[in-house]
């Protein structure tokens, strides 16, 4: 071993879903099967390359203004970043420090433990109950902070506002982060409704799912002025140019088109309902989905076998080889035509 090798910081990185290099039916990373708002393409076409000579607005004001108008949240209560992964990483760095462990579910977004390890934050995974629900009482104890997605991923289960309010009431001394990557697909309201009640609440959302812009990498957070200011101070100490100019323009155009967002969500939700019905007929069980994916287990055929057989047919779904969930598949909702191809393939595999 070379002497400098022990100087290298070693981490076990997050494993994202596969991005195959050839066209497949891609139901493995919860992307949107429909294009973004037409106004995004217009904004991209209108971009003058000469403007790229200059650094972009550090505060990403065009995007922040559009988000403020779309959601009725003050500009100084909005933080934007390069995907919600960036926003969440900044939030971990800013709010989670100290000796006490932060709490998050044992079955959840698998980036949380990666950030906790990276930033050397002590953490404790709180088991979901037998039906994969979060037990809110499990969070009524001393901790260094709380984070959970709502709807949770990969379970697709959403909790209502009272549930989140109860967790906040019992956690007034720490920061509570609600990761709402999938909230637009749920009938439950966003926790942003609670911002006036709780100054220690951070609500994180993304353009990657319902706005069909995963490739643009845009995420944002709503919170009290104090929280947002603290996050910006950290961000500007890291890289003061929050977001590139094309992303700011495209993001602003998308945020201004809330009707299109609703339209996309309706289509995905309609296909999701059809998908759940068909999967049940095929012998799968799953928690009722409030997201753009279904977390399903088959009554006889092991999930890994189904995953591998689907992959051979160029249909990619997500499989997690992890305790408690190794017999589940996370299936993203695609177009109706893509789901029909999935059902045909499943019929053959399960015969
Ligand atoms: N939170 C959750 C729960 C997610 O599933 C994802 C998608 N991988 C993200 C955050 C991050 O999404 P993005 O960085 O594309 O906004």
């Amino acid at each position: 071993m070379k002497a400098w090798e022990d100087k290298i910081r070693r981490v076990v990185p997050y494993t994202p879903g596969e991005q195959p290099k050839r066209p497949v039916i891609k139901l493995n990373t919860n992307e949107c099967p429909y294009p973004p708002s037409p106004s995004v393409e217009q904004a991209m076409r209108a971009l003058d390359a000469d403007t790229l000579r200059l650094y972009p607005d550090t505060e990403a004001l065009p995007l922040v203004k559009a988000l403020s108008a779309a959601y009725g949240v003050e500009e100084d209560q909005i933080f934007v970043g390069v995907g919600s992964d960036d926003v969440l990483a900044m939030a971990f760095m800013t709010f989670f420090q100290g000796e006490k462990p932060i709490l998050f579910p044992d079955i959840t977004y698998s980036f949380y433990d990666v950030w906790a390890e990276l930033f050397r934050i002590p953490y404790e995974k709180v088991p979901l109950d037998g039906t994969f629900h979060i037990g809110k009482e499990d969070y009524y104890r001393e901790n260094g902070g709380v984070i959970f997605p709502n709807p949770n991923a990969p379970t697709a289960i959403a909790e209502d506002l009272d549930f989140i309010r109860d967790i906040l009431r019992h956690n007034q001394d720490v920061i509570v982060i609600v990761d709402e990557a999938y909230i637009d697909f749920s009938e439950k309201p966003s926790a942003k409704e609670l911002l006036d009640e709780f100054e220690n609440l951070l609500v994180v959302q993304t353009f990657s799912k319902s706005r069909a812009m995963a490739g643009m990498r845009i995420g944002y957070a709503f919170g009290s002025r104090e929280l947002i200011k603290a996050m910006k101070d950290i961000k500007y100490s890291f890289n003061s140019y929050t977001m590139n100019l094309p992303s700011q323009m495209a993001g602003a155009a998308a945020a201004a088109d809330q009707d299109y967002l609703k339209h996309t969500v309706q289509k995905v939700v309609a296909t999701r309902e059809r998908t759940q019905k068909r999967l049940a007929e095929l012998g799968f069980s799953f928690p009722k989905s409030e997201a753009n994916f279904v977390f399903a287990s088959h009554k006889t055929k092991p999930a890994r076998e189904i995953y591998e057989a689907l992959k051979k047919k160029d249909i990619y779904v997500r499989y997690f080889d992890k305790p408690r969930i190794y017999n589940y598949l996370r299936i993203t909702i695609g177009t109706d035509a893509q789901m029909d191809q999935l059902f045909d393939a499943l019929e053959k595999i399960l015969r």
Side-chain angles (χ1 to χ4, degrees), residues 14 83-85 88 109 112 149 153 179 181-182 206 208-209 217-218:
Y14 169 72
S84 56
D85 281 341
L88 287 163
Y109 187 31
Y112 298 162
D179 175 356
Y182 303 101
T206 177
S208 297
K209 317 293 178 182
R217 311 304 301 124
I218 305 176

Side-chain angles (χ1 to χ4, degrees), residues 14 29-30 82-88 108-112 115 148-154 179-182 204-209 213-215 217-220 293 318 330:
Y14 169 72
T29 50
N30 297 343
V82 183
S84 56
D85 281 341
D86 180 46
V87 176
L88 287 163
T108 197
Y109 187 31
S110 44
F111 225 136
Y112 298 162
W115 287 314
F148 58 92
N150 194 50
N152 194 6
D179 175 356
E180 293 191 335
Y182 303 101
V204 180
Q205 298 190 351
T206 177
F207 279 52
S208 297
K209 317 293 178 182
M213 292 171 73
R217 311 304 301 124
I218 305 176
Y220 54 102
F293 54 89
R318 191 80 194 262
R330 193 194 67 189

